[in-house]
Amino acid sequence: MKPLIILNSILATLLSVGSMSADDTAVLWEKHIIQPPAKGMINGATANDFDGDGHMDVITSFDGKTVLFRGPAWTPFTVHTFMPGLSRNKPRTACIHSCLMDADGDGDLDFIGSNNTVFWLECPAEPYSGQPWNYRTVDDEISGTHCLITGDVNRDGKLDLIANSGRDQKATEFPNSIAWLETPADPHSAGNWVRHVFADKDAPGGSHYMGFGDANGDGRPDISCAAKGTDGFSNGQWFAWWEQPRDPAGVWKKHLLAKNEVGATNIVPTDFDGDRHTDYFATRGHGKGVLWFRGPEFKQIEIDPDIEFPHSLAVADINGDGHADAVTCGKEANGVAAWYENDGKGGFAKHIIRNDQGSYDLTTVDMDGDGDLDVLIAGHASRNLVWFQNPYSTTRP
């Protein structure tokens, strides 16, 4: 009888696990398609209500153009076509990354992109007029800018732009570096923005995505970054943060959090365990795994060592319980999109959103105006642009 008892026990365990998985997957994230598969990859996307009609719009680049999709019907409008002659660098067919920023201080958000040149497109008073948005250079001397984020680095009340320069000395005078770029007094007529290289040749490898926040509690925002060492990039495979000095234009101190991290790509700061110390959530987007570093000692803790190529990352409260969660997605077409529920003490539970979606970049934004954060994904290998509707209420009983 013992074999039968053991078999029944195994079956009961399997059924129990299966029912837990079924309960989790029963919470369905509805997939909404903004752009079906294009000819080329879609690497990044951002959202904003550009025309003030109460509906979210989405802007991205692919197939040789920058496209603004007007919500809620997602009608496409080409606002810029990539062509040589606008900067010293020949553009590719799409940006590797992008963000939004009020570059000229006129009260609306402009498009910032990286396409061999870091540039900005001025959002006009009538964004859907059919006229191209004006193209202007931010910086065409740094090279290999894989990430663009904003933050008030020097605490003057105005946002700055943070960009990496990940190529070697053959491609740029600022190899393996990271800079923060200050908006010039007249951004409409200026050439390159005011460049402050704070990680001067101090970010080797394939530097990827960055994070912005005060890591050590001194009141000054610091900058984190990760770098892969795969695909021909040398001296990568690390997570690190740079400590801002009293003078933000001075020398920043590098703090290495971990090395030999194969495929490291993302690192974002926040307080995950409620102890009022900054922690970091990280992913190995050209390898495997998501992890976090618990501050203030930044102890490394693995969360999910098996997820493959989690190339995109956003930190946000997904289920409205007041705790910072994380969302990621694999870069290949069969990538897993997942969110990691934080219990408020740094314990994370994995929930699958979808297992057939690629992503180089994603963001959390309320796409449907119901008060919760949805997930907007730029498809990369899937070559599409989609958003997943958050099924959770923003208020917990």
Side-chain angles (χ1 to χ4, degrees):
M1 295 294 292
K2 284 185 179 180
L4 182 60
I5 293 173
I6 293 171
L7 179 60
N8 286 337
S9 176
I10 293 172
L11 287 173
T13 301
L14 290 174
L15 287 172
S16 175
V17 172
S19 65
M20 285 191 293
S21 299
D23 289 342
D24 185 44
T25 55
V27 183
L28 296 177
W29 291 66
E30 185 178 354
K31 184 175 184 177
H32 300 266
I33 298 175
I34 299 173
Q35 169 65 43
K39 294 179 181 178
M41 293 178 177
I42 303 177
N43 299 314
T46 52
N48 178 55
D49 182 5
F50 284 98
D51 55 357
D53 67 351
H55 297 291
M56 197 62 67
D57 311 306
V58 174
I59 189 166
T60 186
S61 66
F62 62 96
D63 293 350
K65 56 189 183 292
T66 303
V67 180
L68 179 61
F69 292 89
R70 190 175 195 173
W74 309 124
T75 306
F77 291 79
T78 298
V79 298
H80 175 71
T81 301
F82 295 113
M83 62 186 71
L86 295 177
S87 81
R88 71 179 66 194
N89 306 312
K90 182 180 178 180
R92 292 173 293 192
T93 58
C95 295
I96 193 68
H97 202 229
S98 58
C99 68
L100 298 178
M101 177 184 181
D102 185 1
D104 51 4
D106 65 353
D108 57 27
L109 293 177
D110 308 299
F111 178 82
I112 315 290
S114 172
N115 189 347
N116 287 333
T117 293
V118 180
F119 67 94
W120 68 285
L121 301 177
E122 181 183 358
C123 178
E126 299 292 336
Y128 293 104
S129 67
Q131 295 298 313
W133 293 18
N134 288 330
Y135 174 102
R136 294 183 176 90
T137 295
V138 172
D139 197 317
D140 59 1
E141 295 179 355
I142 61 176
S143 181
T145 297
H146 204 294
C147 177
L148 296 166
I149 62 172
T150 61
D152 185 1
V153 177
N154 57 358
R155 294 167 292 154
D156 66 351
K158 297 189 299 183
L159 286 179
D160 307 297
L161 185 65
I162 304 163
N164 48 351
S165 182
R167 299 301 181 191
D168 61 22
Q169 62 274 10
K170 297 178 182 178
T172 175
E173 295 180 12
F174 308 96
N176 301 319
S177 300
I178 311 176
W180 65 278
L181 302 161
E182 194 173 357
T183 308
D186 185 358
H188 292 112
S189 61
N192 284 4
W193 289 14
V194 183
R195 183 192 312 113
H196 303 275
V197 180
F198 68 88
D200 188 6
K201 304 178 184 65
D202 200 20
S207 62
H208 267 57
Y209 300 103
M210 296 169 291
F212 183 78
D214 183 4
N216 57 357
D218 64 359
R220 297 186 290 269
D222 308 300
I223 297 172
S224 55
C225 189
K228 69 175 184 178
T230 54
D231 305 322
F233 288 92
S234 59
N235 300 316
Q237 322 288 43
W238 49 260
F239 296 106
W241 66 279
W242 279 261
E243 180 182 351
Q244 182 178 163
R246 292 185 182 276
D247 179 3
V251 178
W252 293 43
K253 181 180 179 181
K254 182 180 180 178
H255 298 266
L256 187 66
L257 292 172
K259 57 183 180 179
N260 300 322
E261 298 291 328
V262 177
T265 50
N266 304 69
I267 181 163
V268 176
T270 200
D271 179 7
F272 288 103
D273 54 3
D275 65 354
R276 299 185 179 180
H277 293 292
T278 295
D279 312 302
Y280 283 106
F281 198 100
T283 73
R284 307 181 188 96
H286 282 268
K288 286 185 178 182
V290 301
L291 60 150
W292 73 295
F293 296 92
R294 173 178 282 158
E297 295 85 9
F298 297 116
K299 177 184 177 183
Q300 182 173 338
I301 303 170
E302 291 291 323
I303 298 172
D304 180 1
D306 299 320
I307 187 169
E308 294 186 342
F309 308 123
H311 200 277
S312 52
L313 175 64
V315 170
D317 182 5
I318 296 299
N319 56 356
D321 64 356
H323 306 311
D325 310 302
V327 187
T328 188
C329 184
K331 68 182 181 70
E332 301 302 324
N334 62 348
V336 172
W339 74 280
Y340 295 84
E341 181 182 7
N342 178 16
D343 63 6
K345 300 179 180 178
F348 292 91
K350 180 180 180 180
H351 304 279
I352 302 297
I353 296 174
R354 193 86 173 196
N355 59 9
D356 60 352
Q357 177 63 46
S359 172
Y360 239 43
D361 188 38
L362 62 77
T363 188
T364 54
V365 59
D366 186 1
M367 293 291 292
D368 50 5
D370 64 354
D372 58 26
L373 292 174
D374 308 298
V375 180
L376 174 65
I377 292 183
H380 188 61
S382 297
R383 300 174 186 251
N384 60 357
L385 181 61
V386 304
W387 68 278
F388 290 100
Q389 187 173 351
N390 191 336
Y392 295 92
S393 171
T394 56
T395 57
R396 307 286 282 186

